[in-house]
């Protein structure tokens, strides 16, 4: 119940924020279809989240709504657009794909992605797969 209240408060905050078009005038359904994530359409529609708002919410917001972390990262990355940066915005490649936060201690994993050291270490405590691809990692060394 407290989680629902937090999600509702975050949604109101997002809805009040200025919006930026993600990919021209693509509808939410088309956006998710392009990502192969149409299964999450009903969740986003139930929360009245529209395509432009996706650029303003976080991975944690989507996970809180029940969207798996890997899918949430995919949605957030696509919502950032191909430019990955705009005035006042951190370039996408500087953000950890697990936390979607600026990396302080980036490490390169055998899956070819760069992660924040602490986030990847935490992930690897319970997993031996890539957080991005789901494929087995050749090594857990950081």
């Amino acid at each position: 119940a407290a989680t629902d209240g937090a999600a509702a408060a975050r949604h109101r905050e997002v809805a009040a924020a200025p919006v930026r078009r993600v990919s021209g005038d693509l509808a939410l359904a088309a956006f998710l279809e392009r990502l192969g994530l149409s299964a999450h359409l009903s969740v986003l529609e139930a929360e009245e989240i529209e395509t432009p708002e996706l650029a303003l919410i976080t991975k944690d917001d989507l996970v809180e709504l029940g969207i798996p972390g890997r899918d949430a990262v995919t949605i957030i990355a696509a919502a950032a657009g191909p430019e990955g940066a705009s005035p006042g915005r951190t370039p996408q490649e500087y953000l950890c794909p697990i936390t979607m936060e600026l990396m302080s201690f980036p490490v390169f994993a055998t899956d070819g992605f760069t992660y924040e050291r602490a986030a990847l270490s935490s992930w690897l405590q319970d997993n031996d797969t890539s957080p991005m691809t789901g494929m087995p990692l050749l090594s857990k060394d950081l």
Side-chain angles (χ1 to χ4, degrees):
T3 301
D4 293 340
R10 178 70 180 142
H11 176 70
R12 282 191 299 278
E13 179 182 307
V14 167
V19 296
R20 176 176 72 81
R21 289 284 168 203
V22 174
S23 299
D25 293 325
L26 285 181
L28 182 60
F31 177 75
L32 292 173
E33 177 67 29
R34 183 172 55 85
L35 298 174
L37 298 174
S38 297
H40 303 306
L41 179 61
S42 61
V43 171
L44 296 175
E45 286 180 335
E47 292 294 321
E48 299 180 2
I49 296 172
E50 297 178 359
T51 309
E53 294 171 325
L54 291 174
L56 303 171
I57 61 178
T58 67
K59 171 192 169 246
D60 292 337
D61 293 332
L62 294 177
V63 168
E64 190 174 304
L65 296 175
I67 295 174
R70 186 179 314 141
D71 292 352
V73 169
T74 300
I75 292 168
I76 296 299
E83 73 281 354
S86 59
R89 192 167 183 158
T90 303
Q92 194 69 28
E93 59 270 17
Y94 295 174
L95 302 178
C96 172
I98 297 172
T99 64
M100 294 308 292
E101 295 176 4
L102 182 65
M103 293 184 275
S104 300
F105 297 99
V107 293
F108 190 73
T110 58
D111 63 358
F113 292 93
T114 303
Y115 303 93
E116 174 64 32
R117 179 181 291 276
L120 185 58
S121 292
S122 177
W123 171 268
L124 293 175
Q125 288 177 1
D126 299 319
N127 301 282
D128 60 357
T129 58
S130 163
M132 290 298 288
T133 67
M135 300 297 295
L137 291 171
L138 299 175
S139 171
K140 289 179 139 186
D141 294 335
L142 302 181

